Amino acid sequence: MITRLICILIGNIFGLFQTAYFYGKAHGIDIRQHGSGNSGTTNALRVLGTKAGLIVFAGDCLKCMIAVWIVRLLFGSTHTDIIYLLCLYTGAGAILGHNFPFYMGFKGGKGIAATAGMVLSFHPYFVITGVLTFFGIFFSTHYVSLGSLLVYTILYIQLVISGQLGVFPGMTQAQLIEMYLVFGCMTAMAFWKHRANIGRLIHGTESKTYLTKKNKV
């Protein structure tokens, strides 16, 4: 249990770095006062442009990847049986830190770029699924929220199937169930953070996002 808490703490420390907020401050604006008010990639893209969006995405993605890499270095040789579970705890900590930064009144982003960082450093099988799902949905609909939610849904299904097929060697059934519960909580949080987007998607009023032209704020 202590190891799991350490992983959450490591992830949380890195997750607290709000790339969009600091990038916006460096350019003379408070990103929370513009667009959707979220301190995340999509709002940075819409308010500050494509370059800013890509930089914010890279920063938020990298902070989670670094946290996971540190956990792998610390526990990879001593906790080989549950290292994937520890990586998920680390990712969850980073996403919590990103979504609810205490120094910003607990108002951050929605954790999708941080989730991408976790997926990229978790397991190669999940990278392929995540990339194909998100960009397939995004480039066909231009709805970031829809792509993000479908990525979480499909990755959760893939995680359960992979676990039961033995993709994570050494883990007991109880540990696998724990891993499913952790990712299930992360999925539920993603849907909760996107609850307004879900309402707009249902009513056809969700804003579309483009990489190569002006976005509506």
Side-chain angles (χ1 to χ4, degrees), residues 42-86:
T42 303
N43 199 36
L45 177 66
R46 290 173 176 168
V47 174
L48 297 168
T50 301
K51 178 182 176 182
L54 293 175
I55 290 174
V56 169
F57 176 83
D60 286 345
C61 183
L62 188 59
K63 68 188 182 185
C64 190
M65 293 178 72
I66 293 173
V68 172
W69 289 338
I70 289 174
V71 164
R72 285 187 180 276
L73 287 173
L74 289 175
F75 304 114
S77 60
T78 59
H79 295 73
T80 54
D81 56 333
I82 60 168
I83 190 60
Y84 290 107
L85 176 60
L86 296 182

Short mmCIF file of all heavy atoms in Angstrom, two decimals, residues 42-86:
data_model
loop_
_atom_site.label_atom_id
_atom_site.label_comp_id
_atom_site.label_asym_id
_atom_site.label_seq_id
_atom_site.Cartn_x
_atom_site.Cartn_y
_atom_site.Cartn_z
N THR A 42 -6.76 21.65 -25.36
CA THR A 42 -7.79 22.12 -26.28
C THR A 42 -8.03 23.62 -26.14
O THR A 42 -8.13 24.35 -27.13
CB THR A 42 -9.10 21.34 -26.08
OG1 THR A 42 -8.86 19.95 -26.26
CG2 THR A 42 -10.14 21.79 -27.10
N ASN A 43 -8.12 24.09 -24.90
CA ASN A 43 -8.35 25.52 -24.69
C ASN A 43 -7.16 26.35 -25.14
O ASN A 43 -7.31 27.43 -25.71
CB ASN A 43 -8.67 25.80 -23.23
CG ASN A 43 -9.36 27.13 -23.03
OD1 ASN A 43 -10.17 27.54 -23.85
ND2 ASN A 43 -9.04 27.82 -21.95
N ALA A 44 -5.95 25.84 -24.90
CA ALA A 44 -4.75 26.54 -25.36
C ALA A 44 -4.73 26.61 -26.88
O ALA A 44 -4.35 27.64 -27.47
CB ALA A 44 -3.50 25.82 -24.85
N LEU A 45 -5.13 25.54 -27.54
CA LEU A 45 -5.18 25.51 -29.00
C LEU A 45 -6.17 26.53 -29.54
O LEU A 45 -5.87 27.27 -30.48
CB LEU A 45 -5.57 24.10 -29.45
CG LEU A 45 -5.76 23.87 -30.95
CD1 LEU A 45 -4.43 24.02 -31.68
CD2 LEU A 45 -6.34 22.47 -31.20
N ARG A 46 -7.32 26.61 -28.90
CA ARG A 46 -8.35 27.53 -29.39
C ARG A 46 -8.02 28.99 -29.09
O ARG A 46 -8.29 29.88 -29.89
CB ARG A 46 -9.70 27.17 -28.76
CG ARG A 46 -10.28 25.86 -29.27
CD ARG A 46 -11.53 25.47 -28.50
NE ARG A 46 -12.13 24.25 -29.06
CZ ARG A 46 -13.08 23.55 -28.45
NH1 ARG A 46 -13.51 23.95 -27.26
NH2 ARG A 46 -13.58 22.47 -29.01
N VAL A 47 -7.43 29.22 -27.93
CA VAL A 47 -7.16 30.60 -27.51
C VAL A 47 -5.84 31.13 -28.07
O VAL A 47 -5.76 32.28 -28.53
CB VAL A 47 -7.15 30.70 -25.97
CG1 VAL A 47 -6.71 32.08 -25.50
CG2 VAL A 47 -8.52 30.36 -25.40
N LEU A 48 -4.80 30.29 -28.04
CA LEU A 48 -3.46 30.75 -28.38
C LEU A 48 -2.93 30.24 -29.72
O LEU A 48 -1.87 30.68 -30.16
CB LEU A 48 -2.49 30.36 -27.26
CG LEU A 48 -2.76 31.00 -25.90
CD1 LEU A 48 -1.94 30.32 -24.81
CD2 LEU A 48 -2.46 32.49 -25.95
N GLY A 49 -3.64 29.30 -30.32
CA GLY A 49 -3.22 28.83 -31.63
C GLY A 49 -2.61 27.43 -31.61
O GLY A 49 -2.38 26.83 -30.56
N THR A 50 -2.35 26.93 -32.83
CA THR A 50 -1.87 25.56 -33.00
C THR A 50 -0.53 25.32 -32.31
O THR A 50 -0.33 24.30 -31.65
CB THR A 50 -1.75 25.22 -34.49
OG1 THR A 50 -3.03 25.36 -35.12
CG2 THR A 50 -1.26 23.79 -34.68
N LYS A 51 0.41 26.25 -32.48
CA LYS A 51 1.72 26.09 -31.86
C LYS A 51 1.60 25.94 -30.35
O LYS A 51 2.21 25.04 -29.75
CB LYS A 51 2.62 27.28 -32.20
CG LYS A 51 3.99 27.21 -31.54
CD LYS A 51 4.81 28.46 -31.87
CE LYS A 51 6.16 28.44 -31.13
NZ LYS A 51 6.94 29.66 -31.42
N ALA A 52 0.81 26.80 -29.74
CA ALA A 52 0.62 26.74 -28.29
C ALA A 52 -0.03 25.43 -27.89
O ALA A 52 0.37 24.80 -26.90
CB ALA A 52 -0.24 27.91 -27.83
N GLY A 53 -1.02 24.99 -28.66
CA GLY A 53 -1.70 23.75 -28.35
C GLY A 53 -0.75 22.56 -28.38
O GLY A 53 -0.80 21.69 -27.50
N LEU A 54 0.12 22.53 -29.37
CA LEU A 54 1.08 21.43 -29.48
C LEU A 54 2.10 21.46 -28.34
O LEU A 54 2.48 20.42 -27.81
CB LEU A 54 1.79 21.49 -30.83
CG LEU A 54 0.91 21.22 -32.05
CD1 LEU A 54 1.70 21.43 -33.34
CD2 LEU A 54 0.34 19.81 -32.01
N ILE A 55 2.54 22.65 -27.97
CA ILE A 55 3.50 22.78 -26.87
C ILE A 55 2.86 22.35 -25.55
O ILE A 55 3.47 21.62 -24.75
CB ILE A 55 4.01 24.23 -26.76
CG1 ILE A 55 4.91 24.56 -27.96
CG2 ILE A 55 4.77 24.44 -25.44
CD1 ILE A 55 5.35 26.00 -28.03
N VAL A 56 1.63 22.77 -25.33
CA VAL A 56 0.92 22.40 -24.09
C VAL A 56 0.68 20.90 -24.06
O VAL A 56 0.88 20.25 -23.02
CB VAL A 56 -0.41 23.17 -23.97
CG1 VAL A 56 -1.26 22.60 -22.84
CG2 VAL A 56 -0.13 24.65 -23.74
N PHE A 57 0.28 20.34 -25.19
CA PHE A 57 0.07 18.89 -25.24
C PHE A 57 1.36 18.14 -24.91
O PHE A 57 1.36 17.19 -24.11
CB PHE A 57 -0.42 18.47 -26.62
CG PHE A 57 -0.57 16.97 -26.77
CD1 PHE A 57 -1.71 16.33 -26.33
CD2 PHE A 57 0.45 16.21 -27.32
CE1 PHE A 57 -1.84 14.95 -26.44
CE2 PHE A 57 0.33 14.83 -27.44
CZ PHE A 57 -0.82 14.20 -27.00
N ALA A 58 2.46 18.58 -25.52
CA ALA A 58 3.76 17.93 -25.27
C ALA A 58 4.15 18.03 -23.81
O ALA A 58 4.63 17.06 -23.21
CB ALA A 58 4.83 18.55 -26.16
N GLY A 59 3.95 19.21 -23.21
CA GLY A 59 4.32 19.41 -21.81
C GLY A 59 3.50 18.55 -20.87
O GLY A 59 4.04 17.91 -19.96
N ASP A 60 2.17 18.53 -21.09
CA ASP A 60 1.30 17.75 -20.21
C ASP A 60 1.50 16.26 -20.40
O ASP A 60 1.36 15.47 -19.46
CB ASP A 60 -0.16 18.12 -20.46
CG ASP A 60 -0.51 19.49 -19.89
OD1 ASP A 60 0.28 20.01 -19.07
OD2 ASP A 60 -1.56 20.05 -20.26
N CYS A 61 1.80 15.87 -21.63
CA CYS A 61 2.07 14.47 -21.92
C CYS A 61 3.39 14.03 -21.27
O CYS A 61 3.47 12.99 -20.62
CB CYS A 61 2.13 14.27 -23.44
SG CYS A 61 2.36 12.57 -23.97
N LEU A 62 4.40 14.88 -21.42
CA LEU A 62 5.74 14.55 -20.93
C LEU A 62 5.79 14.45 -19.42
O LEU A 62 6.50 13.62 -18.87
CB LEU A 62 6.74 15.59 -21.44
CG LEU A 62 8.23 15.29 -21.18
CD1 LEU A 62 8.62 13.97 -21.85
CD2 LEU A 62 9.10 16.43 -21.70
N LYS A 63 5.03 15.31 -18.72
CA LYS A 63 5.10 15.29 -17.26
C LYS A 63 4.62 13.95 -16.70
O LYS A 63 5.15 13.45 -15.71
CB LYS A 63 4.30 16.45 -16.66
CG LYS A 63 2.79 16.38 -16.83
CD LYS A 63 2.13 17.67 -16.37
CE LYS A 63 0.62 17.63 -16.48
NZ LYS A 63 -0.01 18.94 -16.14
N CYS A 64 3.63 13.35 -17.35
CA CYS A 64 3.16 12.05 -16.91
C CYS A 64 4.15 10.95 -17.29
O CYS A 64 4.40 10.03 -16.51
CB CYS A 64 1.79 11.75 -17.53
SG CYS A 64 0.98 10.30 -16.83
N MET A 65 4.73 11.07 -18.47
CA MET A 65 5.71 10.08 -18.91
C MET A 65 6.92 10.06 -17.97
O MET A 65 7.42 8.99 -17.61
CB MET A 65 6.16 10.39 -20.34
CG MET A 65 5.06 10.21 -21.37
SD MET A 65 5.61 10.62 -23.05
CE MET A 65 6.69 9.23 -23.38
N ILE A 66 7.39 11.24 -17.58
CA ILE A 66 8.55 11.33 -16.68
C ILE A 66 8.22 10.68 -15.34
O ILE A 66 9.04 9.93 -14.78
CB ILE A 66 8.97 12.79 -16.48
CG1 ILE A 66 9.52 13.37 -17.80
CG2 ILE A 66 10.03 12.90 -15.37
CD1 ILE A 66 9.82 14.86 -17.74
N ALA A 67 7.02 10.95 -14.83
CA ALA A 67 6.62 10.36 -13.55
C ALA A 67 6.61 8.83 -13.64
O ALA A 67 7.10 8.14 -12.74
CB ALA A 67 5.23 10.87 -13.15
N VAL A 68 6.07 8.30 -14.72
CA VAL A 68 6.02 6.84 -14.90
C VAL A 68 7.43 6.27 -15.04
O VAL A 68 7.74 5.21 -14.48
CB VAL A 68 5.15 6.47 -16.11
CG1 VAL A 68 5.26 4.97 -16.41
CG2 VAL A 68 3.69 6.85 -15.86
N TRP A 69 8.29 6.96 -15.78
CA TRP A 69 9.67 6.49 -15.95
C TRP A 69 10.39 6.43 -14.61
O TRP A 69 11.15 5.51 -14.34
CB TRP A 69 10.42 7.40 -16.91
CG TRP A 69 9.97 7.27 -18.34
CD1 TRP A 69 9.32 6.21 -18.91
CD2 TRP A 69 10.10 8.26 -19.38
NE1 TRP A 69 9.05 6.47 -20.24
CE2 TRP A 69 9.51 7.71 -20.54
CE3 TRP A 69 10.65 9.54 -19.43
CZ2 TRP A 69 9.48 8.41 -21.76
CZ3 TRP A 69 10.62 10.23 -20.62
CH2 TRP A 69 10.04 9.67 -21.78
N ILE A 70 10.15 7.44 -13.76
CA ILE A 70 10.78 7.44 -12.43
C ILE A 70 10.31 6.24 -11.61
O ILE A 70 11.10 5.57 -10.95
CB ILE A 70 10.46 8.76 -11.69
CG1 ILE A 70 11.23 9.92 -12.35
CG2 ILE A 70 10.82 8.65 -10.21
CD1 ILE A 70 10.87 11.28 -11.78
N VAL A 71 9.02 5.96 -11.67
CA VAL A 71 8.47 4.81 -10.94
C VAL A 71 9.07 3.51 -11.47
O VAL A 71 9.39 2.60 -10.70
CB VAL A 71 6.93 4.80 -11.03
CG1 VAL A 71 6.37 3.44 -10.63
CG2 VAL A 71 6.35 5.90 -10.15
N ARG A 72 9.24 3.42 -12.77
CA ARG A 72 9.85 2.22 -13.34
C ARG A 72 11.29 2.07 -12.85
O ARG A 72 11.74 0.95 -12.56
CB ARG A 72 9.82 2.29 -14.86
CG ARG A 72 8.44 2.02 -15.48
CD ARG A 72 8.52 1.94 -16.99
NE ARG A 72 7.23 1.68 -17.60
CZ ARG A 72 6.69 0.48 -17.75
NH1 ARG A 72 7.35 -0.59 -17.29
NH2 ARG A 72 5.51 0.33 -18.33
N LEU A 73 12.01 3.16 -12.75
CA LEU A 73 13.39 3.11 -12.25
C LEU A 73 13.44 2.72 -10.78
O LEU A 73 14.31 1.97 -10.34
CB LEU A 73 14.07 4.47 -12.46
CG LEU A 73 14.47 4.83 -13.90
CD1 LEU A 73 14.98 6.27 -13.97
CD2 LEU A 73 15.55 3.88 -14.41
N LEU A 74 12.49 3.24 -10.00
CA LEU A 74 12.47 2.97 -8.57
C LEU A 74 12.02 1.55 -8.23
O LEU A 74 12.57 0.91 -7.34
CB LEU A 74 11.56 3.98 -7.86
CG LEU A 74 12.03 5.43 -7.77
CD1 LEU A 74 10.94 6.29 -7.15
CD2 LEU A 74 13.32 5.53 -6.95
N PHE A 75 11.00 1.08 -8.95
CA PHE A 75 10.36 -0.18 -8.55
C PHE A 75 10.39 -1.27 -9.62
O PHE A 75 9.89 -2.37 -9.37
CB PHE A 75 8.90 0.09 -8.15
CG PHE A 75 8.75 1.10 -7.06
CD1 PHE A 75 8.14 2.33 -7.30
CD2 PHE A 75 9.22 0.84 -5.79
CE1 PHE A 75 7.99 3.27 -6.29
CE2 PHE A 75 9.08 1.77 -4.76
CZ PHE A 75 8.46 2.99 -5.01
N GLY A 76 10.97 -0.97 -10.77
CA GLY A 76 10.96 -1.94 -11.86
C GLY A 76 11.65 -3.26 -11.53
O GLY A 76 11.24 -4.32 -12.02
N SER A 77 12.68 -3.22 -10.71
CA SER A 77 13.42 -4.44 -10.38
C SER A 77 12.94 -5.10 -9.10
O SER A 77 13.23 -6.27 -8.85
CB SER A 77 14.92 -4.12 -10.26
OG SER A 77 15.16 -3.17 -9.24
N THR A 78 12.22 -4.37 -8.28
CA THR A 78 11.76 -4.92 -6.99
C THR A 78 10.29 -5.29 -6.98
O THR A 78 9.85 -6.06 -6.12
CB THR A 78 12.02 -3.91 -5.85
OG1 THR A 78 11.33 -2.68 -6.14
CG2 THR A 78 13.52 -3.64 -5.72
N HIS A 79 9.51 -4.74 -7.91
CA HIS A 79 8.08 -5.02 -7.97
C HIS A 79 7.69 -5.39 -9.41
O HIS A 79 6.75 -4.85 -9.97
CB HIS A 79 7.27 -3.80 -7.51
CG HIS A 79 7.45 -3.44 -6.08
ND1 HIS A 79 8.60 -2.86 -5.59
CD2 HIS A 79 6.62 -3.60 -4.99
CE1 HIS A 79 8.48 -2.66 -4.30
NE2 HIS A 79 7.30 -3.09 -3.90
N THR A 80 8.43 -6.32 -9.97
CA THR A 80 8.20 -6.68 -11.37
C THR A 80 6.80 -7.23 -11.61
O THR A 80 6.24 -7.06 -12.71
CB THR A 80 9.23 -7.74 -11.82
OG1 THR A 80 9.18 -8.87 -10.91
CG2 THR A 80 10.64 -7.17 -11.82
N ASP A 81 6.22 -7.87 -10.62
CA ASP A 81 4.91 -8.49 -10.81
C ASP A 81 3.79 -7.46 -10.91
O ASP A 81 2.77 -7.70 -11.58
CB ASP A 81 4.61 -9.47 -9.67
CG ASP A 81 4.71 -8.82 -8.29
OD1 ASP A 81 5.47 -7.84 -8.16
OD2 ASP A 81 4.02 -9.31 -7.36
N ILE A 82 3.96 -6.29 -10.27
CA ILE A 82 2.88 -5.30 -10.29
C ILE A 82 3.32 -3.97 -10.90
O ILE A 82 2.70 -2.94 -10.65
CB ILE A 82 2.33 -5.05 -8.87
CG1 ILE A 82 3.44 -4.54 -7.93
CG2 ILE A 82 1.67 -6.29 -8.32
CD1 ILE A 82 2.91 -4.01 -6.61
N ILE A 83 4.38 -3.97 -11.68
CA ILE A 83 4.89 -2.70 -12.21
C ILE A 83 3.86 -1.99 -13.08
O ILE A 83 3.77 -0.76 -13.07
CB ILE A 83 6.21 -2.91 -12.99
CG1 ILE A 83 6.86 -1.57 -13.31
CG2 ILE A 83 5.99 -3.74 -14.25
CD1 ILE A 83 7.22 -0.75 -12.10
N TYR A 84 3.05 -2.74 -13.82
CA TYR A 84 2.02 -2.10 -14.65
C TYR A 84 0.95 -1.46 -13.77
O TYR A 84 0.44 -0.38 -14.08
CB TYR A 84 1.38 -3.11 -15.61
CG TYR A 84 2.31 -3.56 -16.71
CD1 TYR A 84 2.86 -4.84 -16.71
CD2 TYR A 84 2.65 -2.69 -17.74
CE1 TYR A 84 3.72 -5.25 -17.71
CE2 TYR A 84 3.52 -3.09 -18.76
CZ TYR A 84 4.05 -4.38 -18.73
OH TYR A 84 4.91 -4.77 -19.73
N LEU A 85 0.63 -2.10 -12.68
CA LEU A 85 -0.33 -1.53 -11.74
C LEU A 85 0.23 -0.25 -11.12
O LEU A 85 -0.48 0.76 -11.00
CB LEU A 85 -0.64 -2.55 -10.64
CG LEU A 85 -1.55 -2.08 -9.49
CD1 LEU A 85 -2.91 -1.65 -10.01
CD2 LEU A 85 -1.70 -3.19 -8.45
N LEU A 86 1.50 -0.27 -10.77
CA LEU A 86 2.14 0.92 -10.20
C LEU A 86 2.18 2.06 -11.22
O LEU A 86 2.04 3.23 -10.85
CB LEU A 86 3.55 0.59 -9.71
CG LEU A 86 3.64 -0.43 -8.57
CD1 LEU A 86 5.09 -0.64 -8.15
CD2 LEU A 86 2.79 0.00 -7.37
#
